[in-house]
Amino acid sequence: MRVLVALSGGVDSSVAAAELVEQGHEVVAATMKLWGGESDTGCCSVGDVEDARRSAAQLGIDHHVFNYTEEFDRHVVAPYAADHAAGLTPNPCVECNRHLKFDLFMRRADLLGFDAIATGHHARIGRGAGGSLRIRRGADAAKDQSYVLHPLLDGPLERVLFPIGHLEKSEVRERAARLGLRTAAKPDSQDVCFITRRDGRRSFLAERIELHPGQVLDTEGGSVGSVDAVELVTIGQRRGLDLAGGGSRRFVTSVDVEGRVVTVGSEADLLVGHVTIGDVRLAHGIDPACIDGKDLAAQTSAHGAAQPARLSFHGAEPGTTVVRWRSPHRAVAPGQSVVVYDGDEVVASGVVSGT
Amino acid sequence: MVAPSEYVYLDHAATTPLCEQARVAMEPLLASGERARPPSFGNPSGSHALARIATRALDEARERVAAVLGCAPGEVVFTSGGTEADNLAVTGGMPPRPGVPVCGATEHPAVLEPVRALDGVEVAVDAAGRVLPDALAGTLERLGGGTGRRASVVSVMCANNELGTINDLDALAAVVHEHAPGVPLHSDAVQAAPWLDLSVAARAADLVSVSAHKLGGPKGVGALVVRAGSMLSALIHGGGQERGRRGGTPDLAGIVGFAAALEATASQRCSQAARVAALRDELAAELELLEAVSPTVGTTGAAVLPGHLHLLVEGVSAEELLLLLEQRGVCASAGSSCASGAAAGSHVVEAIGVTGRDRAPLRISLGATTTRREIRAAADALRWALARLAERGGSPVLEART
């Protein structure tokens, strides 16, 4: 096959490219230049592009740079800021996968005559019950990235390859070292790629949206403190609230950005029995009737564990469903993705609209 | 995939192959070890016999360069290339000249960036990317009037690197003399040098930048012509080389190659310009028949360098167009690229009023080695690319920015 591999300059994608070369594919690499500003790896990610270019050269494959900075700004960065202003908790990695890697990049690969694209994600693609293609968790549970890949669950999986999904991270590094790739010991990327550790989320958002101070109330409506930016507060948050008095641990149970009010309560106040998700999408070969009420598991953050849950489509608005937790679960912030697994297969996903 | 040797190279404005005359001239200076003979390794700054032999080679090269560029040998300052020559001319050295540098909005970054670093002024250009005398006069008037600021240098390129359009330096020099007497006029002639006789085209400029690798010489060498009477100190301070205007041991092999390439270019200029312009016109006529393609400066009547063909292609991103052309073995350009190697938006195309990415800029630049076969291949490749885009659909192109 002719495969276009997305090479980020990190160890995972360079080993993914190496695997493809070893398998005998005709491989071309491309690095997406996504962010034009400062990042932890330097301005315009020039250092990452160089690592990608050198890895490609070591593997003997051609390497391109695709400039997607305007598209990244439009589809990922601007919505990230707008979501905060609207009191939502966005996941920019999900949006990047949705719009950049598995849309624009894939379309370009198609235009250029490639049969498939590949990335260095820790996830697998396999046949589910009934023979449909499904996204499955990566072999390394600690590094699994199937959660952020959920926009692809009903996409053209037959044209996507995750060549390192069957490997543990340590094996990936070993292979990189064995091949002498300069990425072998490069640290894993952390957090949001366009926000630097030095300046942080707050200063990034302050340049783009208006931040407002807010009151912090307890569940009885009594004032217990204040925050200087309600837009930065997320449900479930415990740290950084600067509350008066000691006592038991208090968590954010709700955020009202428009009313400039943050409510805190005990951990028990945070627990809910269900969550409603919108923009519901089902994996290939799944119809609501076959998973309604089935024992599944749902994951609400990239690094969290999936918890037992059932889906209930009955009575829900079209395009929405109710995720019923088997045991009470912490509330999930509006805007967050909920990914539903059957075993290690991604079967459904949605975005929290309200609890 | 196309083998590198089979590529159709139509990016001569970016760089052009070393010419045979330059290679032959440089060869003795690149001999190694025991085969090395004077003047291959002497340092022209020294005083012993081997140094003097090197000095003589440097002097001769300087005279040959001066003869082609139409200046005195003492007016040639060898540099590491066009970018350094531009930086030296715009700043006037380190510390910089007092005053505010002025340049055209379509200058190469080698001029634009030092002008911006010194908080300078950019003159608006016409639809062909040229600085018109009236626009320059207006800028110089505004700068003088009331603000108390004075121009330190006026920098207008001889011909634009993306569009190939040619500025009227005689007329612009007259404006400088009238509105800012005593202020030097600099011209970046890096693109013009392969095609125009600079002893005529750039005679009105006090400072002229030239680069060797654009005209068949080696990379890493260039020159700034500093006409007598122009004040200039060094940007790179060191051992007082180049009459104190550029420190550092000169790259003698590169300079000798530069001189040979410049002479070869001058001797073939008329015939090459006519031959290449005819090929370019043939390609333009064929491509402009395509519905999606329009000439960028076609209706302005501006004079354009023989090797340049700048087009706008509707409904495609520049990056995808170049990738498709490359699949057919054709190397062209969108005009500029960023440090990572990605295609970047062009300040030149923006300055002439073409905004957004709904029209892809495409620069096809021909050179001394360009053949009719390559022109045919380029036309075929562009037709194929447009058909492929129509069939598959490219990425959605972002609307024009407002």
Side-chain angles (χ1 to χ4, degrees), chain A residues 67 71 108 110-112, chain B residues 319 327 343 357 388 392:
Chain A
N67 189 353
E71 289 85 351
R108 181 165 291 182
D110 184 47
L111 179 70
L112 298 176
Chain B
E319 205 164 71
Q327 289 214 326
R357 307 212 304 195
R388 176 103 186 153
R392 297 277 177 129

Side-chain angles (χ1 to χ4, degrees), chain B residues 78-359:
Chain B
F78 287 118
T79 67
S80 65
T83 294
E84 188 195 324
D86 284 345
N87 271 261
L88 176 58
V90 168
T91 61
M94 186 182 74
R97 291 186 203 93
V100 182
V102 174
C103 75
T106 48
E107 289 297 314
H108 188 276
V111 166
L112 211 48
E113 290 305 321
V115 165
R116 287 175 179 169
L118 294 171
D119 205 14
V121 178
E122 291 166 39
V123 186
V125 294
D126 75 349
R130 298 172 298 182
V131 174
L132 298 183
D134 284 351
L136 179 60
T139 300
L140 292 175
E141 282 298 297
R142 278 193 296 281
L143 199 59
T147 65
R149 299 204 297 172
R150 185 177 180 276
S152 58
V153 64
V154 173
S155 182
V156 179
M157 64 209 321
C158 194
N160 185 266
N161 53 308
E162 294 185 27
L163 305 171
T165 48
I166 300 166
N167 278 300
D168 183 349
L169 292 177
D170 288 344
L172 294 170
V175 169
V176 174
H177 293 320
E178 188 188 337
H179 295 271
V183 172
L185 173 65
H186 165 246
S187 189
D188 174 339
V190 167
Q191 290 292 329
W195 305 110
L196 304 183
D197 180 355
L198 294 186
S199 70
V200 178
R203 67 190 160 200
D206 304 293
L207 303 162
V208 182
S209 305
V210 183
S211 169
H213 77 99
K214 305 283 190 188
L215 43 79
K219 290 163 183 67
V221 187
L224 181 67
V225 174
V226 183
R227 301 227 197 266
S230 305
M231 293 293 292
L232 195 84
S233 59
L235 187 62
I236 294 173
H237 295 263
Q241 289 89 347
E242 302 297 299
R243 298 192 181 189
R245 295 171 297 195
R246 205 282 185 179
T249 301
D251 171 8
L252 190 55
I255 287 167
V256 167
F258 178 23
L262 201 54
E263 280 182 342
T265 301
S267 70
Q268 298 154 18
R269 180 172 286 126
C270 292
S271 58
Q272 275 292 9
R275 185 187 75 85
V276 169
L279 288 177
R280 189 266 320 269
D281 292 343
E282 187 181 321
L283 180 61
E286 183 160 351
L287 296 183
E288 286 162 20
L289 292 176
L290 299 170
E291 198 181 343
V293 178
S294 57
T296 311
V297 295
T299 55
T300 61
V304 178
L305 294 176
H308 273 67
L309 177 58
H310 198 280
L311 302 168
L312 295 172
V313 184
E314 296 279 343
V316 54
S317 82
E319 205 164 71
E320 287 185 348
L321 183 60
L322 292 177
L323 287 165
L324 286 169
L325 290 176
E326 192 186 313
Q327 289 214 326
R328 282 301 202 240
V330 172
C331 297
S333 161
S336 58
S337 58
C338 95
S340 65
S346 158
H347 72 284
V348 172
V349 171
E350 212 162 287
I352 61 170
V354 180
T355 54
R357 307 212 304 195
D358 49 345
R359 283 184 286 175

Side-chain angles (χ1 to χ4, degrees), chain A residues 238-312:
Chain A
R238 184 159 62 87
R239 295 194 173 84
L241 289 173
D242 192 26
L243 301 181
S248 57
R249 299 194 302 169
R250 281 173 290 185
F251 297 83
V252 173
T253 56
S254 74
V255 181
D256 175 3
V257 164
E258 230 162 82
R260 317 264 191 263
V261 171
V262 171
T263 307
V264 296
S266 66
E267 188 166 14
D269 293 326
L270 194 60
L271 296 177
V272 294
H274 70 273
V275 57
T276 302
I277 57 175
D279 297 329
V280 172
R281 293 163 72 184
L282 302 175
H284 293 292
I286 301 277
D287 73 80
C290 78
I291 54 168
D292 197 303
K294 190 174 176 189
D295 281 323
L296 302 167
Q299 185 172 326
T300 61
S301 69
H303 304 294
Q307 299 298 329
R310 289 173 179 166
L311 298 184
S312 171

Side-chain angles (χ1 to χ4, degrees), chain A residues 338-352:
Chain A
V338 175
V339 179
V340 183
Y341 293 82
D342 185 356
D344 70 351
E345 288 176 21
V346 174
V347 292
S349 74
V351 175
V352 177

Side-chain angles (χ1 to χ4, degrees), chain A residues 11-339:
Chain A
V11 64
D12 292 328
S13 59
S14 56
V15 172
E19 292 288 302
L20 294 170
V21 170
E22 201 166 296
Q23 289 160 21
H25 295 296
E26 184 186 339
V27 185
V28 174
T31 301
M32 286 181 273
K33 181 172 140 47
L34 299 174
W35 176 236
E38 279 292 325
S39 73
D40 284 330
T41 53
C43 186
C44 297
S45 316
V46 171
D48 289 331
V49 171
E50 193 178 298
D51 285 340
R53 189 172 67 226
R54 294 305 300 148
S55 303
Q58 283 176 290
L59 297 170
I61 59 178
D62 201 4
H63 175 249
H64 294 279
V65 181
F66 294 168
N67 189 353
Y68 284 130
T69 49
E70 282 183 42
E71 289 85 351
F72 186 70
D73 191 74
R74 176 169 302 202
H75 293 298
V76 180
V77 180
Y80 177 81
D83 280 358
H84 276 95
L88 301 173
T89 302
N91 189 324
C93 301
V94 169
E95 297 313 308
C96 183
N97 283 332
R98 188 195 312 278
H99 295 288
L100 277 301
K101 298 191 185 86
F102 299 108
D103 183 22
L104 293 175
F105 189 80
M106 195 167 218
R107 283 203 238 185
R108 181 165 291 182
D110 184 47
L111 179 70
L112 298 176
F114 289 94
D115 304 308
I117 67 164
T119 70
H121 283 110
H122 284 270
R124 287 176 282 190
I125 292 172
R127 300 265 166 207
S132 303
L133 285 174
R134 303 275 167 77
I135 300 171
R136 292 173 50 215
R137 288 194 189 277
D140 189 330
K143 291 290 172 186
D144 169 55
Q145 291 173 303
S146 55
Y147 174 87
V148 291
L149 292 168
H150 77 78
L152 188 62
L153 90 174
D154 55 355
L157 291 172
E158 70 284 0
R159 290 196 286 125
V160 177
L161 302 169
F162 298 135
I164 61 150
H166 64 292
L167 299 175
E168 298 282 332
K169 182 78 185 201
S170 56
E171 293 177 284
V172 171
R173 289 204 182 276
E174 275 164 32
R175 288 185 193 207
R178 205 160 56 230
L179 291 164
L181 297 176
R182 66 194 270 162
T183 53
K186 200 173 169 180
D188 291 357
S189 58
Q190 304 284 336
D191 302 323
V192 179
C193 68
F194 51 86
I195 292 181
T196 61
R197 255 163 276 176
R198 193 190 63 212
D199 296 331
R201 184 172 65 126
R202 192 202 160 84
S203 78
F204 183 88
L205 286 171
E207 284 172 19
R208 287 163 178 80
I209 59 171
E210 215 176 310
L211 299 177
H212 302 92
Q215 255 190 309
V216 181
L217 305 180
D218 61 21
T219 42
E220 272 78 52
S223 178
V224 289
S226 63
V227 291
D228 49 12
V230 285
E231 289 83 359
L232 297 176
V233 180
T234 301
I235 287 179
Q237 181 178 332
R238 184 159 62 87
R239 295 194 173 84
L241 289 173
D242 192 26
L243 301 181
S248 57
R249 299 194 302 169
R250 281 173 290 185
F251 297 83
V252 173
T253 56
S254 74
V255 181
D256 175 3
V257 164
E258 230 162 82
R260 317 264 191 263
V261 171
V262 171
T263 307
V264 296
S266 66
E267 188 166 14
D269 293 326
L270 194 60
L271 296 177
V272 294
H274 70 273
V275 57
T276 302
I277 57 175
D279 297 329
V280 172
R281 293 163 72 184
L282 302 175
H284 293 292
I286 301 277
D287 73 80
C290 78
I291 54 168
D292 197 303
K294 190 174 176 189
D295 281 323
L296 302 167
Q299 185 172 326
T300 61
S301 69
H303 304 294
Q307 299 298 329
R310 289 173 179 166
L311 298 184
S312 171
F313 291 87
H314 187 70
E317 296 275 317
T320 73
T321 187
V322 177
V323 180
R324 297 195 186 281
W325 302 109
R326 295 296 298 277
S327 44
H329 188 281
R330 281 194 188 181
V332 189
Q336 284 291 84
S337 293
V338 175
V339 179

